[in-house]
Amino acid sequence: GLAMITVIGRCIGAQDFEQTNYYTKKLLLWDYIAQGGVNVVVLLSLNQILSMYTLTPETRALAWTLVMIHNGMSIFLWPASFVLPNACVPPTRAVHDGRCHGLDAGLAHGPELGALRADGHGCRRVWYAMVVDWICRIICFVARFVSGAWKKNAVKKAA
């Protein structure tokens, strides 16, 4: 994410939108590879990790489920949900494009709210709601990036 902000910010500053697209895709690919590697290791070693703790069978089962949901979905959804916005949000902050910030802030407090219930499924609901939130973020930010809407205010106006 930090590399995306720096590299894409410099590309936009140079008004080189071809490189902006190229490096956005390249850095996303690298993040997918990194997310995949780290999360696959966690998922494959999850039983060993959980065995380091003294857990009741119910707690162990819940922890296993939550890690499977989070890390399993993170492999596919995290980069587009949280790294891609760094390509279309921070660089445009310098050119006063506030629409994307409102979208980001609205999604940050999305479906997780009100997801807890007293029927024992609250934690799972929060994790499922988190995945729905990630999917909504992907839809919004991919559409914004592909449409080029973020470029509108990044173009320098002649002085």
Side-chain angles (χ1 to χ4, degrees), residues 33-153:
I33 291 168
Q35 286 289 332
V38 169
N39 286 307
V40 165
V41 168
V42 169
L43 293 174
L44 292 175
S45 59
L46 184 55
N47 284 325
Q48 290 83 4
I49 293 169
L50 291 175
S51 69
M52 290 189 271
Y53 300 94
T54 306
L55 303 172
T56 65
E58 295 83 13
T59 303
R60 181 184 176 96
L62 180 60
W64 188 88
T65 300
L66 298 180
V67 172
M68 283 296 188
I69 294 168
H70 179 273
N71 290 53
M73 297 308 292
S74 180
I75 294 169
F76 305 104
L77 302 178
W78 180 266
S81 297
F82 293 97
V83 177
L84 178 61
N86 289 327
C88 71
V89 178
T92 59
R93 285 184 183 156
V95 294
H96 311 292
D97 187 2
R99 283 183 302 269
C100 201
H101 305 340
L103 173 67
D104 194 26
L107 292 174
H109 301 290
E112 290 96 351
L113 299 177
L116 290 175
R117 293 222 167 60
D119 60 4
H121 297 288
C123 288
R124 284 184 211 84
R125 281 196 183 96
V126 170
W127 256 245
Y128 292 136
M130 176 188 62
V131 171
V132 170
D133 178 62
W134 291 358
I135 292 168
C136 291
R137 291 174 60 89
I138 290 170
I139 291 167
C140 294
F141 288 116
V142 167
R144 182 170 173 77
F145 185 77
V146 170
S147 74
W150 56 273
K151 294 178 191 177
K152 182 177 157 186
N153 291 326

